[in-house]
Amino acid sequence: MSKHLIVVESPAKAKTMNKYLGKDFTCLASYGHVRDLIPKQGAVETENDFGMKYELIEKNKKHVDAIVKAMKKADALYLATDPDREGEAISWHLHEILKAEDALDGKPVHRVEFFEITKSAIQHAITQPRQLSENLINAQQARRALDYLVGFNLSPLLWKKVRRGLSAGRVQSPALRLIVEREEEIERFQAREYWTIESDLAAQGKDFVARLTHFNGEKLEQFSIDNGARAAEIDTALLAAAQGRLVVLSVEKKQRRRNPAPPFTTSTLQQEASRKLGFSAQRTMRTAQQLYEGVDLGHGEIVGLISYMRTDAVNLANEAVTEIRDVIKDRYGAENLPDEPILYKNKSKNAQEAHEAIRPTSAARAPDSIKGHLKTDQLRLYELIWKRTVACQMMPALLDTVTVDLAAGEGNVFRANGSTVVKSGYMSVYQEDIDDKPADSPETAADEKLLPPMEQGESVELKLLRQEQHFTEPPPRYSEASLVKALEAYGIGRPSTYASIIVTLERREYVTLDNRRFRPTDVGRVVNKFLSEHFSHYVDYDFTARMEDDLDAISRGEKEWKPVLQEFWTDFKNQVKDKETVDRPGVEMMDEDCPKCGKKLAKRLGRNGYFIGCTGYPDCNYTRNVDDAVGASNEPEIVPDRMCPKCESHLVIKRGRYGRFIGCSNYPNCKHMEPLEKPADTGVECPECKQATMLKRKSRYGKVFYSCARYPDCKYAVWNPPINEPCPDCGWPILSIKTTKRRGTEKVCPQKECHFAVPYDGEIPIAEPKIAAGA
């Protein structure tokens, strides 16, 4: 019989630890949380010193029963749940359950922490136990109480004022506000026209481009040339002044260093995985959890491949840095190894939870050496983490930059920028991506452009002057990466909660993803408007950040948790009570009479967004879509010259949660439906079934993909446009056209195991989708 019981959260981790700790230990899993607040009003007793009523989570009862049974036979308990506040709270809940079941009976209880699942880390942790941290437990209890009080008091108000099934959360609501405010900013945006003058030049037989920066001795700002007539006037003057040649005024050469990015935190991992791999925050964290818990590398050896993935820290353990430096020296040469290790400091004042950044448990375990044991997502994420970690300890990159000013007559100056990589340093392994970088930013324009050698006073050939028209663009909608970055910047939530915040916003249909960018739905806008108007204090970014600061202070023992809750609750409950009588949002009276009964019409929020309906409802059932003509009938539009293929009834155009579609007028007796937009035929034969062609389709979230016309009988699909050309490497019957910011447009093989890719500059021959007749 084993002497010690050790409890972790996941069964995969338990299986690994049983192998590492030997026969004196039995390792069981709690399968996550074991207790939670009772799911009804009164779970937090605000009038009784914030007493909290917990109950066992039903789905985990059998796992808890197994832990209780094993503890009654064991001599000591080791609580080894995750090394953060949430993990501390799970350990505490287990301790309270075991105490209530008389399973402890004075036996020693140890709390152990490890940040990587390796044999040495676990065995070391067992020798360095500590007591449960009351401060961490109280901080998590305060967080849970706050979320409960906000949710259980605001959500019923939303049900009453907007519609049933909605929810408001302490961190979810400010995140929604970010997305809605960005959308409103885009809608308010008015584009401004501006022009630039660029010259195509040649020197030493090499072509290059320069942009006009000064005209008639005056420096040009963005809107100095704001119309085509002025641009043409300047163009004419420059041609006359230049006479086909420009003279080099100055050549400025500099060498600059570009330093590597620090190792990953939870937030930066989610951002980079979104930008480089197209992973959602949830997919990133799920895959990282698998890498942390361990993968079978053959011969029954299960090894944790990365350190704990919920962390705000950017520092690395000394032993890890030593191994990373050895790897750099062996793989990339001593010239890429700095004399001393590079140290990183966290810029966030609230960096907490774990001791280290996310890193491979062994840098010597290169991705190519274990790729046969990893799933595709696991390999891609591990490779990202490995490269970033190794690169962070490498030499900076050295770039030679050149700025050349050229004169086209007196007072007219063109500028050309260029740079070349002298020493690639860390860039040979990894480069960080950036969200929404302006296409004409100086760094983008200068990078990787080599100018011909020129000397002051030299004359260069002017081949062409070009007048380029531009329009200012609105700020981009948030992607997952830029939203995570904004949440972190504003202090909304914690990195470990970002994935759940995003999932909640999508699940509640407050936002949709369109081309990987967030758009607020009508429901999201109404909820945000209601909360911003009536609970502005609680969706305020500063307030949300201050609450996080208070929770951090509780975890450090600097504040007591119950006074923090009391301060919040006193104001919050009064505000909720005051808002019981406010007008219902999402209803806008219109200066238009109902064509059916003569009463006033109103714009209302329905299940599928806004519609126009009669205020005399239910006596009058007149409705129409917002974009329908005034006086339009609420009778569905019939599709001409077509009947339902299933029951021969009329087909009509309907509107659902994802927009308009064609359905049978005999619904619900007949449930035939089809898209309003007929999928465009690519003309490319499906490489899997070879019985139909690939069609261009759009997912319910607006993302374009290409799939077999025989779906669902054949489920072959790709994200990128297919072309009728076999892969020269693996022989797969088709290739696809893929465009990325880093690599541009390429022909690539859609087979994941094949890495064929070559540049592509042709057109993508895809027909436009057809709209159904009568639509």
Side-chain angles (χ1 to χ4, degrees):
M1 184 186 298
S2 61
K3 299 175 184 176
H4 311 300
L5 173 66
I6 184 166
V7 182
V8 294
E9 290 181 41
S10 79
K13 197 187 298 185
K15 186 178 178 182
T16 304
M17 293 182 66
N18 272 324
K19 291 185 177 182
Y20 287 163
L21 292 174
K23 61 183 180 180
D24 286 342
F25 282 84
T26 295
C27 190
L28 296 178
S30 71
Y31 286 77
H33 290 270
V34 292
R35 285 200 313 182
D36 198 7
L37 292 171
I38 59 173
K40 55 186 176 182
Q41 201 72 32
V44 178
E45 298 178 312
T46 54
E47 305 303 319
N48 187 25
D49 199 26
F50 294 95
M52 299 175 73
K53 296 180 181 178
Y54 292 106
E55 68 176 10
L56 197 64
I57 296 173
E58 184 60 33
K59 67 176 183 177
N60 281 352
K61 184 178 185 303
K62 63 180 180 181
H63 307 304
V64 172
D65 289 344
I67 291 169
V68 171
K69 185 178 179 180
M71 188 63 234
K72 287 181 177 180
K73 298 177 182 178
D75 295 332
L77 173 65
Y78 288 82
L79 296 166
T81 49
D82 286 349
D84 53 23
R85 287 183 207 158
E86 207 167 356
E88 198 76 16
I90 293 171
S91 284
W92 175 72
H93 283 300
L94 282 166
H95 179 266
E96 294 300 293
I97 291 169
L98 291 169
K99 191 164 64 173
E101 294 287 338
D102 293 325
L104 292 178
D105 194 25
K107 297 172 185 176
V109 177
H110 307 291
R111 172 74 168 116
V112 294
E113 292 179 306
F114 43 83
F115 295 88
E116 57 184 65
I117 302 179
T118 58
K119 190 171 185 177
S120 58
I122 291 169
Q123 290 178 342
H124 177 75
I126 293 295
T127 65
Q128 302 288 324
R130 62 167 173 82
Q131 298 297 309
L132 283 167
S133 169
E134 189 174 337
N135 293 332
L136 292 175
I137 295 164
N138 289 341
Q140 187 61 26
Q141 285 206 97
R143 179 184 291 278
R144 186 67 189 91
L146 283 168
D147 291 343
Y148 169 87
L149 291 172
V150 171
F152 260 81
N153 288 278
L154 275 189
S155 296
L157 198 56
L158 286 176
W159 286 31
K160 189 184 299 183
K161 299 297 180 182
V162 183
R163 77 175 190 203
R164 291 187 65 81
L166 301 181
S167 72
R170 183 178 62 86
V171 291
Q172 155 199 329
S173 300
L176 174 61
R177 180 186 166 193
L178 276 171
I179 295 169
V180 172
E181 286 184 344
R182 176 60 59 87
E183 192 69 23
E184 290 171 345
E185 191 179 351
I186 292 169
E187 291 169 352
R188 289 192 304 268
F189 179 82
Q190 292 185 339
R192 287 187 64 184
E193 180 184 9
Y194 68 99
W195 291 70
T196 57
I197 309 292
E198 295 189 352
S199 58
D200 292 337
L201 307 169
Q204 309 292 327
K206 180 176 175 62
D207 294 339
F208 65 102
V209 176
R211 177 178 289 188
L212 183 68
T213 60
H214 293 75
F215 180 68
N216 283 342
E218 291 187 11
K219 183 178 180 181
L220 297 179
E221 304 296 340
Q222 183 176 13
F223 300 105
S224 295
I225 311 174
D226 60 1
N227 60 76
R230 177 61 175 157
E233 180 186 321
I234 292 174
D235 187 287
T236 302
L238 289 170
L239 284 172
Q243 295 295 308
R245 309 290 294 182
L246 268 61
V247 177
V248 177
L249 291 176
S250 64
V251 179
E252 185 180 4
K253 296 179 180 179
K254 290 182 179 178
Q255 192 170 83
R256 63 188 178 97
R257 291 157 57 98
R258 186 180 292 177
N259 294 315
F264 280 131
T265 62
T266 305
S267 169
T268 55
L269 177 63
Q270 290 175 0
Q271 292 174 51
E272 278 289 83
S274 174
R275 290 186 288 240
K276 286 184 180 292
L277 308 180
F279 284 12
S280 66
Q282 187 181 39
R283 183 177 173 187
T284 299
M285 295 308 290
R286 180 174 63 246
T287 308
Q289 181 83 34
Q290 295 165 3
L291 295 174
Y292 167 67
E293 289 180 352
V295 174
D296 188 345
L297 297 183
H299 310 294
E301 181 192 7
I302 298 175
V303 179
L305 296 181
I306 64 170
S307 59
Y308 191 54
M309 65 286 165
R310 294 186 179 93
T311 173
D312 292 333
V314 292
N315 56 293
L316 297 169
N318 292 335
E319 312 85 67
V321 172
T322 300
E323 186 181 30
I324 292 165
R325 286 173 61 83
D326 289 341
V327 168
I328 293 168
K329 187 175 181 180
D330 291 343
R331 288 181 70 107
Y332 304 105
E335 67 276 10
N336 282 306
L337 183 67
D339 292 337
E340 298 293 333
I342 303 173
L343 302 178
Y344 294 93
K345 290 185 179 180
N346 203 306
K347 296 176 183 177
S348 170
K349 65 177 181 178
N350 291 319
Q352 40 87 30
E353 309 281 48
H355 298 167
E356 276 193 88
I358 302 170
R359 62 167 175 82
T361 52
S362 172
R365 198 178 289 117
D368 53 4
S369 69
I370 58 172
K371 64 182 180 181
H373 303 286
L374 301 182
K375 296 176 182 176
T376 302
D377 278 7
Q378 292 173 343
L379 176 61
R380 295 176 72 198
L381 192 66
Y382 180 73
E383 187 173 35
L384 190 73
I385 294 168
W386 186 89
K387 286 183 175 180
R388 173 91 164 216
T389 307
V390 170
C392 84
Q393 291 298 318
M394 292 178 69
M395 291 290 288
L398 287 180
L399 294 89
D400 277 344
T401 62
V402 181
T403 302
V404 181
D405 285 343
L406 307 105
E410 187 67 29
N412 307 321
V413 180
F414 284 84
R415 174 165 289 182
N417 294 298
S419 73
T420 55
V421 177
V422 180
K423 291 183 179 179
S424 57
Y426 77 92
M427 287 170 57
S428 62
V429 178
Y430 182 89
Q431 289 188 65
E432 186 178 31
D433 274 359
I434 298 175
D435 271 310
D436 307 320
K437 191 173 184 177
D440 59 349
S441 71
E443 194 166 328
T444 303
D447 282 354
E448 308 306 326
K449 287 186 179 179
L450 180 62
L451 296 178
M454 288 175 276
E455 300 291 338
Q456 185 175 350
E458 182 181 342
S459 174
V460 302
E461 179 189 357
L462 171 60
K463 301 176 75 173
L464 181 68
L465 276 185
R466 288 180 285 107
Q467 307 164 38
E468 300 285 347
Q469 184 185 31
H470 309 274
F471 292 93
T472 54
E473 295 183 353
R477 293 182 178 90
Y478 285 109
S479 63
E480 281 219 15
S482 57
L483 182 60
V484 165
K485 189 173 182 179
L487 292 172
E488 185 177 40
Y490 281 108
I492 299 171
R494 279 287 173 261
S496 58
T497 66
Y498 296 157
S500 62
I501 290 172
I502 292 169
V503 167
T504 300
L505 291 176
E506 290 186 86
R507 189 174 64 242
R508 296 292 181 187
E509 295 180 8
Y510 291 165
V511 301
T512 58
L513 263 179
D514 184 4
N515 290 324
R516 298 181 63 191
R517 298 280 173 168
F518 289 107
R519 284 176 179 262
T521 62
D522 288 339
V523 175
R525 286 175 183 263
V526 171
V527 169
N528 178 70
K529 183 179 180 183
F530 179 74
L531 295 177
S532 297
E533 286 181 357
H534 302 294
F535 295 91
S536 57
H537 182 56
Y538 301 102
V539 293
D540 179 74
Y541 304 134
D542 289 340
F543 171 80
T544 307
R546 285 197 301 274
M547 286 305 305
E548 293 294 342
D549 290 343
D550 286 343
L551 292 171
D552 290 338
I554 294 168
S555 70
R556 295 190 297 267
E558 297 166 4
K559 282 191 174 185
E560 295 293 326
W561 68 293
K562 291 182 178 179
V564 169
L565 286 178
Q566 186 63 60
E567 182 182 355
F568 165 83
W569 176 243
T570 302
D571 291 335
F572 183 69
K573 70 174 180 179
N574 292 333
Q575 197 155 351
V576 171
K577 189 174 182 180
D578 290 344
K579 301 303 177 182
E580 290 282 352
T581 56
V582 298
D583 292 335
R584 184 175 181 176
V587 178
E588 301 174 24
M589 296 303 296
M590 300 178 64
D591 189 20
E592 184 186 340
D593 295 332
C594 174
K596 208 169 183 182
C597 72
K599 292 184 179 179
K600 287 294 180 186
L601 294 178
K603 183 179 174 183
R604 299 174 179 273
L605 181 69
R607 215 171 88 185
N608 299 317
Y610 278 110
F611 70 98
I612 292 172
C614 182
T615 54
Y617 179 84
D619 298 326
C620 177
N621 65 353
Y622 174 82
T623 60
R624 73 166 189 261
N625 295 323
V626 173
D627 50 2
D628 286 347
V630 173
S633 168
N634 61 342
E635 294 298 320
E637 183 181 353
I638 295 176
V639 178
D641 304 323
R642 287 195 61 202
M643 304 300 283
C644 175
K646 288 185 178 178
C647 71
E648 292 296 318
S649 298
H650 284 291
L651 291 175
V652 295
I653 296 174
K654 299 184 175 185
R655 183 181 292 271
R657 68 173 65 181
Y658 302 113
R660 299 198 302 166
F661 66 96
I662 294 175
C664 183
S665 59
N666 193 26
Y667 179 86
N669 297 321
C670 176
K671 296 183 179 179
H672 172 78
M673 64 177 67
E674 58 189 64
L676 185 63
E677 288 188 359
K678 300 284 186 185
D681 193 337
T682 66
V684 177
E685 184 181 73
C686 173
E688 193 160 282
C689 72
K690 302 186 188 315
Q691 296 180 36
T693 54
M694 303 283 287
L695 302 182
K696 179 182 179 182
R697 304 179 189 268
K698 191 178 283 189
S699 74
R700 63 174 59 178
Y701 300 114
K703 189 172 181 181
V704 172
F705 68 100
Y706 304 82
S707 65
C708 181
R710 292 182 59 245
Y711 178 86
D713 296 324
C714 175
K715 296 183 179 179
Y716 182 78
V718 292
W719 287 116
N720 302 307
I723 56 173
N724 254 327
E725 206 174 306
C727 175
D729 284 2
C730 72
W732 188 246
I734 67 169
L735 293 174
S736 61
I737 307 302
K738 183 176 182 179
T739 302
T740 61
K741 286 191 296 183
R742 179 176 295 281
R743 299 175 63 92
T745 301
E746 296 178 308
K747 282 195 294 190
V748 302
C749 181
Q751 296 293 88
K752 289 182 179 179
E753 60 272 15
C754 179
H755 301 291
F756 173 78
V758 294
Y760 179 77
D761 56 5
E763 293 184 0
I764 304 170
I766 301 295
E768 288 300 314
K770 296 178 181 178
I771 306 297

